[in-house]
Amino acid sequence: ALESGEALAGGPGQNEFDMDAGVLALAGGLRAGLVIRHLHEPEFTSATGTLRLERQGRVGLAFDGRAAGGPPLTVSFDADVNRVANAMGDRRNVAVGAEQWVWNSRLGMRAGARINTVGRKERTVTAGVSVAARAGLLLEAYGARGGSSDDRGWGAGARISF
């Protein structure tokens, strides 16, 4: 299938070098982070034009109650630093969320909200749950409502951690 793709309009595929970078600072239960994606802003050309992956910055702040000697509750805030254009229009998201674990850390519940502050200004709410079926085995489910059609949906899965 990949080889037949080169015969499509636009010609053969392209490879470009890119890099993301991030930093995380920890102090007790407080976490602060910054990530920058597409540092090299690679460009791809096709029969329909040129696509450039613009540099994107995102900052975040979280408080982990358990790490600070309190309850197993984490609250977080993160935001895009710059406006980014994509197929759905311009985006600059701001998000908040919380996660709490109960029953001896066997059941985790989380909820959040996200708003696009530019363009169509979609709002999305999310919720999810994780169940520790066994040590290292998590069963998970989530749902998202609102926003654009690519922001809505649900999913379920299993995660194994070591």
Side-chain angles (χ1 to χ4, degrees):
L2 290 175
E3 289 177 7
S4 64
E6 296 208 3
L8 296 173
Q14 293 175 288
N15 295 311
E16 293 292 333
F17 177 79
D18 195 11
M19 185 181 339
D20 301 339
V23 63
L24 178 66
L26 304 170
L30 192 61
R31 301 177 197 156
L34 167 69
V35 65
I36 300 174
R37 298 177 61 201
H38 308 304
L39 283 170
H40 293 278
E41 295 186 314
E43 287 188 3
F44 302 89
T45 56
S46 72
T48 59
T50 300
L51 169 69
R52 185 172 131 245
L53 298 180
E54 298 177 22
R55 191 171 294 127
Q56 300 173 6
R58 191 162 184 85
V59 295
L61 188 63
F63 180 75
D64 181 353
R66 185 181 309 188
L73 173 68
T74 301
V75 292
S76 63
F77 165 84
D78 57 89
D80 290 331
V81 174
N82 56 317
R83 177 188 301 234
V84 175
N86 71 16
M88 299 303 292
D90 286 352
R91 297 191 76 87
R92 181 184 285 155
N93 288 324
V94 174
V96 295
E99 177 180 74
Q100 181 159 25
W101 286 84
V102 296
W103 289 341
N104 202 21
S105 295
R106 301 204 37 103
L107 175 66
M109 300 167 289
R110 62 193 143 283
R114 176 178 63 242
I115 183 170
N116 180 10
T117 63
V118 298
R120 295 177 16 195
K121 300 191 178 185
E122 301 101 347
R123 292 175 171 86
T124 304
V125 295
T126 62
V129 62
S130 296
V131 176
R134 306 184 74 174
L137 174 62
L138 291 158
L139 305 176
E140 301 181 313
Y142 74 90
R145 304 264 313 162
S148 63
S149 60
D150 61 334
D151 285 334
R152 291 187 292 269
W154 63 274
R159 179 169 41 120
I160 299 173
S161 57
F162 301 93

